[in-house]
């Protein structure tokens, strides 16, 4: 690693490792891209910098102004907090009690402000309405709901980094559906280079019988799989037992998705799993 012009310059170029023990009996090559090596510990650093920089390019934000954002995940909130601090944008985050518990202290440490609406306003539509009204009152910019904020331009760097370090083309990429900039970037790069690579989007859901979430709307996704949190947690524990990788639930979901697809793969298949999160925020749940 060389000299970086600021902390955001350390986003990306994450480690790619071979998983040699967790996929017993798989004759192909299984690789994992450890996005937990990004500065706040997740792939959301890529998504957050893509989202904020797009708003800056469009002139909707400028340094010194305030953005009021409704954010639905702890990882994305942490990433957005660091990006806004680095870009000198004041941030007010409207979050659920669970997100405030997980990363509220971190957000305040970066100088951000946390708002947790009461009662019915604490659900996602309520938080979005609360954020919109708060932005109007304080003269801040509201970029839209959590989903709208994250529909940023694609981030192709993850796919490019994989190509740099993998010998020859790869057959399958399994990516978290809740990292839309990265998912879209992988699809764009596959299409740009006319690769035969198939792209799988993995949705982490609360219960095994939960409905399939909304389509992320990324052209080029070949398969969408739904993995429940219990299955993902079991995969996380297998990862730490067999590979010494302390992964978060979305990474466990990627491994579980591979396990569902493995029997249908060619014996010499080359598979890349994007592990979007670390397990350090889940010690009291997955690893307790």
């Amino acid at each position: 690693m060389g000299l970086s012009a600021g902390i955001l310059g350390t986003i990306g170029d994450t480690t790619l490792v071979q998983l040699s023990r967790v996929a017993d009996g798989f004759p192909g090559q299984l690789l994992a891209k450890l996005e937990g090596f990004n500065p706040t510990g997740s792939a959301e650093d890529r998504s957050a910098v893509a989202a904020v920089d797009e708003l800056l390019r469009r002139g909707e934000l400028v340094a010194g102004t305030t953005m009021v954002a409704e954010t639905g995940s702890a990882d994305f909130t942490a990433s957005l907090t660091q990006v806004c601090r680095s870009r000198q944008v004041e941030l007010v985050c409207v979050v659920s009690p669970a997100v405030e518990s997980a990363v509220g202290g971190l957000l305040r440490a970066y100088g951000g402000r946390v708002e947790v609406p009461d009662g019915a306003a604490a659900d996602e539509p309520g938080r979005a309405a609360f954020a919109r009204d708060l932005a109007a009152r304080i003269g801040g910019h509201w970029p839209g709901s959590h989903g709208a904020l994250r529909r940023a331009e694609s981030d192709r760097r993850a796919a490019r980094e994989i190509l740099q370090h993998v010998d020859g083309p790869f057959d399958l990429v399994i990516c978290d559906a809740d990292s839309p900039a990265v998912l879209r970037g992988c699809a764009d790069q596959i299409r740009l280079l006319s690769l035969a690579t198939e792209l799988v989007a993995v949705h982490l859901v609360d219960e095994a019988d939960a409905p399939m979430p909304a389509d992320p709307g990324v052209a080029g996704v070949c398969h969408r799989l739904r993995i429940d949190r219990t299955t993902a947690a079991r995969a996380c524990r297998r990862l730490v037992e067999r590979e010494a990788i302390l992964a978060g639930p979305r990474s466990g979901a990627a491994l579980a998705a591979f396990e569902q697809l493995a029997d249908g793969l060619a014996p010499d298949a080359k598979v890349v799993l994007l592990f979007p999160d670390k397990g350090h925020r889940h010690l009291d749940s997955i690893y307790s």
Side-chain angles (χ1 to χ4, degrees), residues 4-283:
S4 177
I7 188 65
L8 301 188
T10 67
I11 294 173
D13 199 20
T14 52
T15 301
L16 193 68
V17 301
Q18 183 160 326
L19 303 181
S20 57
R21 293 184 291 273
V22 78
D24 293 340
F26 177 60
Q29 188 176 19
L30 182 62
L31 307 171
K33 190 160 178 58
L34 304 184
E35 290 293 285
F37 282 92
N38 281 303
T40 73
S42 82
E44 300 301 350
D45 288 356
R46 298 182 190 263
S47 297
V49 77
V52 172
D53 284 355
E54 185 173 330
L55 293 170
L56 289 167
R57 282 194 298 272
R58 296 202 305 243
E60 296 178 30
L61 284 177
V62 295
T65 59
T66 299
M67 178 168 68
V68 181
E70 179 268 317
T71 55
S73 81
D75 286 338
F76 185 70
T77 301
S79 298
L80 190 66
T81 298
Q82 184 178 64
V83 171
C84 285
R85 182 76 287 161
S86 181
R87 297 294 193 236
Q88 299 183 322
V89 172
E90 299 299 320
L91 177 65
V92 180
C93 268
V94 178
V95 300
S96 68
V99 170
E100 196 282 333
S101 176
V103 293
L106 177 66
L107 196 155
R108 285 185 282 269
Y110 275 108
R113 172 178 160 191
V114 186
E115 293 283 346
V116 184
D118 294 326
D123 64 13
E124 186 171 348
R127 294 196 307 270
F130 184 98
R132 181 192 60 221
D133 293 345
L134 178 60
R137 290 200 305 272
I138 68 174
H141 175 68
W142 180 61
S145 65
H146 176 70
L149 176 61
R150 302 182 72 203
R151 285 195 288 272
E153 290 184 355
S154 68
D155 186 326
R156 299 183 186 180
R157 289 178 296 169
R160 290 171 181 156
E161 291 162 17
I162 294 168
L163 286 166
Q164 287 172 1
H165 298 291
V166 175
D167 183 19
F170 39 96
D171 301 281
L172 189 69
V173 174
I174 298 179
C175 186
D176 177 42
D178 205 31
S179 297
V182 178
L183 180 65
R184 190 175 298 110
C186 287
D188 289 348
Q189 194 70 5
I190 289 167
R191 184 168 54 251
L192 177 68
L193 299 178
S194 300
L195 302 176
T197 306
E198 292 192 347
L199 181 61
V200 176
V202 181
H203 297 267
L204 180 64
V205 298
D206 289 334
E207 304 291 341
D209 58 354
M212 177 67 83
D215 192 316
V218 176
V221 170
C222 300
H223 308 284
R224 295 171 60 216
L225 295 179
R226 179 188 58 193
I227 303 294
D228 66 271
R229 289 188 177 274
T230 299
T231 301
R234 289 174 183 151
C236 286
R237 290 193 287 271
R238 288 196 297 277
L239 275 167
V240 77
E241 289 166 4
R242 301 180 190 179
E243 303 284 354
I245 294 174
L246 191 72
R250 293 189 293 155
S251 300
L255 176 61
F258 161 75
E259 291 170 341
Q260 287 190 13
L261 298 170
D263 288 344
L265 298 175
D268 60 347
K270 192 177 296 181
V271 179
V272 179
L273 312 179
L274 270 76
F275 281 179
D277 52 358
K278 278 185 174 179
H280 64 297
R281 292 196 182 112
H282 307 277
L283 299 179

